[in-house]
């Protein structure tokens, strides 16, 4: 059973690495951002995506008080429970910088992949933020008493050259750390993401992103988020290749935010992502 599950997961990883332009380790949960275009999205921070969003999303808070957020995120790949992942994150904004910590897990007791990390982000001017994160990625197998893991890093920045226009850059694992699974070494690809976002009238946000992996072709993401009411938003997006469309819905109540996104892969089926966050 364990070997069959492991073989299925490794086959899925191989399929995804050829079917999608951006390779992501299975423990890194997709975001609820339209089209998963997170490099320049600064409405909130998604764990293990551009950490600069921690500082940028709350840059208008002028007081010297400490503010923070906590979030839970669940990702169900292709309507299969065994391919689901879960993440939890928290961030704190101080007068000096913003600090975050996150954990994400994919798989079941027989086989699972995990990543835990910390990040720091700082606004150097009102229009420019930089960030760095240090993560530890490890794999646990039921038949192996000791887990296999390795440390990696990520770097991000966000810059607003003009009002409402933000450019974001995120590099995940730029040193191409390797990991051992079932006795074999696998590369965790370095992924570089360049994104842009534009907010119109505070109600509509346009998102675009290009990804480049050392071992994959270019990937693209296009999305639109529309704030329909003060407590409701909707989104639509697509990414490729292959072409993967998605739809999203967000609801807010006081400082609680519930967001969901649904995407469809022509060969592998539907994927749903849901997040619950709280701002304080």
């Amino acid at each position: 059973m364990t070997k069959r599950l492991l073989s299925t997961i490794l086959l899925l990883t191989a399929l995804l690495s050829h079917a999608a332009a951006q390779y992501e380790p299975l423990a890194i949960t997709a975001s609820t951002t339209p089209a998963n275009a997170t490099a320049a999205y600064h409405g909130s921070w998604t764990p293990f995506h551009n950490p600069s969003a921690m500082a940028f999303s709350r840059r208008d808070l002028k007081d010297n008080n400490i503010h923070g957020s906590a979030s839970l995120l669940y990702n169900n790949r292709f309507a299969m429970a065994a391919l689901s992942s879960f993440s939890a994150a928290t961030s704190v904004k101080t007068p000096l910088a913003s600090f975050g910590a996150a954990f994400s897990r994919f798989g079941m007791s027989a086989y699972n992949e995990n990543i835990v990390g910390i990040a720091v982000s700082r606004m150097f001017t009102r229009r420019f933020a930089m960030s760095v994160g240090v993560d530890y990625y490890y794999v646990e197998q039921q038949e192996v008493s000791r887990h296999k893991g390795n440390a990696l890093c990520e770097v991000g920045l966000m810059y607003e050259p003009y009002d409402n226009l933000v450019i974001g850059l995120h590099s995940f694992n730029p040193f191409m750390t390797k990991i051992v699974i079932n006795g074999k070494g696998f590369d965790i690809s370095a992924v570089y993401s360049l994104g842009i976002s534009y907010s119109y009238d505070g109600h509509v946000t346009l998102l675009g992103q290009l990804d480049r992996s050392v071992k994959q072709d270019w990937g693209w993401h296009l999305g639109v988020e529309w704030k329909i009411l003060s407590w409701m938003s909707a989104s639509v997006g697509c990414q490729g290749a292959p072409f993967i469309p998605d739809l999203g819905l967000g609801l807010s109540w006081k400082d609680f935010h519930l967001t969901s996104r649904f995407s469809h892969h022509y060969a592998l089926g539907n994927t749903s992502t849901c997040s619950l966050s709280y701002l304080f």
Side-chain angles (χ1 to χ4, degrees):
M1 177 64 182
T2 303
K3 292 182 178 180
R4 183 179 301 175
L5 176 61
L6 179 58
S7 299
T8 302
I9 291 172
L10 293 178
L11 176 61
L12 172 66
T13 305
L15 287 172
L16 288 175
S17 64
H18 288 284
Q22 179 181 1
Y23 169 79
E24 293 179 307
L26 294 175
I28 296 183
T29 306
S31 74
T32 54
T33 305
N36 202 34
T38 58
Y41 184 78
H42 51 90
S44 61
W45 172 54
T46 300
F48 309 109
H49 295 267
N50 195 343
S52 296
M54 284 191 298
F56 220 92
S57 63
R58 313 199 79 175
R59 60 177 175 162
D60 292 328
L61 296 174
K62 302 299 184 182
D63 57 63
N64 291 324
N65 296 329
I66 294 177
H67 300 271
S69 68
S71 64
L72 301 174
L73 196 148
Y74 177 76
N75 179 233
N76 178 233
R77 290 178 175 88
F78 317 123
M80 296 180 64
L83 301 181
S84 298
S85 54
F86 168 83
S87 67
T90 184
S91 65
V92 176
K93 177 187 179 297
T94 71
L96 177 64
S98 295
F99 303 90
F103 170 78
S104 186
R105 176 187 176 95
F106 163 86
M108 307 176 74
S109 58
Y111 174 89
N112 57 79
E113 297 184 21
N114 309 267
I115 183 170
V116 59
I118 56 174
V120 59
S121 173
R122 188 176 189 275
M123 298 295 302
F124 289 90
T125 70
R126 191 187 178 280
R127 295 179 180 268
F128 180 70
M130 288 190 67
S131 59
V132 62
V134 179
D135 309 320
Y136 182 71
Y137 200 95
Y138 63 97
V139 174
E140 292 182 331
Q141 296 175 236
Q142 194 174 58
E143 298 153 336
V144 179
S145 59
R146 183 179 179 183
H147 70 253
K148 301 289 185 178
N150 214 335
L152 51 89
C153 72
E154 51 184 315
V155 180
L157 63 83
M158 283 187 179
Y159 175 57
E160 185 181 40
Y162 304 101
D163 289 347
N164 303 319
L165 178 67
V166 176
I167 298 171
L169 177 65
H170 181 227
S171 174
F172 178 82
N173 190 30
F175 301 111
M176 295 189 64
T177 298
K178 294 185 177 182
I179 194 169
V180 177
I181 302 176
N182 201 29
K184 298 180 180 180
F186 292 86
D187 289 331
I188 302 177
S189 297
V191 179
Y192 302 90
S193 301
L194 174 64
I196 186 170
S197 71
Y198 179 75
S199 298
Y200 175 75
D201 198 28
H203 294 285
V204 178
T205 301
L206 307 177
L207 296 164
Q209 182 172 311
L210 290 175
D211 297 322
R212 177 62 175 173
S213 171
V214 173
K215 296 190 176 183
Q216 300 295 331
D217 296 328
W218 288 93
W220 55 268
H221 309 250
L222 294 172
V224 180
E225 186 177 66
W226 177 32
K227 190 173 183 179
I228 304 172
L229 300 168
S230 61
W231 53 273
M232 178 186 293
S233 63
S235 67
V236 61
C238 57
Q239 58 183 298
F243 180 77
I244 302 176
D246 66 64
L247 295 171
L249 178 67
L251 300 173
S252 300
W253 181 72
K254 295 184 178 180
D255 291 322
F256 290 92
H257 303 272
L258 178 65
T259 311
S260 59
R261 183 170 69 91
F262 306 90
S263 62
H264 178 75
H265 189 287
Y266 77 98
L268 301 175
N270 299 319
T271 293
S272 58
T273 307
C274 183
S275 69
L276 176 64
S277 62
Y278 173 68
L279 303 179
F280 58 90

